[in-house]
Amino acid sequence: MTNKQWLLTSRPSAEATAGNFTLVETPVPALADGQVLVRHHYLSVDPYMRGRMSDKKSYAPPQPLNAVMIGGTVGEIVESRSPAFAAGDRVVVMGGWQQYSVVDGGARGALRKVDTSRIPIT
């Protein structure tokens, strides 16, 4: 399986442009015990992201260059090796600008289930 990821590859001097990012394709790694694979359906693009693209002193550390851009996502677990989550569970996670992410299912606060019978996944 292949993962599409947007990497921040240069720091914008004014507005961020497509030239500050690079789209790469990487293999999705096999899961270790306790991990889950999340396929992201929605990404929240928020104003704080622009500040993270800068390396100036701020309330949050800068986004590392040549790494998947940070961002909150809503998705579905497609594979699980965690007793706390099952394939098909809908979750909120800081999955970043990518199609899939591998997440530690036991990390406190890393994943939150969403009851899509009460709240639409959007």
Side-chain angles (χ1 to χ4, degrees), residues 78-102:
V78 294
E79 184 182 348
S80 176
R81 295 195 61 195
S82 167
F85 297 93
D89 285 349
R90 306 295 176 97
V91 294
V92 174
V93 61
M94 288 299 284
W97 294 19
Q98 60 184 334
Q99 192 174 15
Y100 294 95
S101 64
V102 174

Side-chain angles (χ1 to χ4, degrees), residues 42-74:
Y42 296 95
L43 167 67
S44 180
V45 178
D46 300 298
Y48 81 88
M49 292 176 173
R50 177 59 186 90
R52 297 288 303 268
M53 291 177 201
S54 173
D55 60 358
K56 294 184 171 112
K57 186 170 175 67
S58 179
Y59 66 92
Q63 164 71 36
L65 290 177
N66 303 308
V68 174
M69 185 63 198
I70 193 170
T73 59
V74 179

Side-chain angles (χ1 to χ4, degrees), residues 5 9 12-13 37 71-72 78 86 94 105 108 119:
Q5 303 173 311
T9 51
S13 58
L37 178 64
V78 294
M94 288 299 284
R108 186 177 174 104
I119 301 169

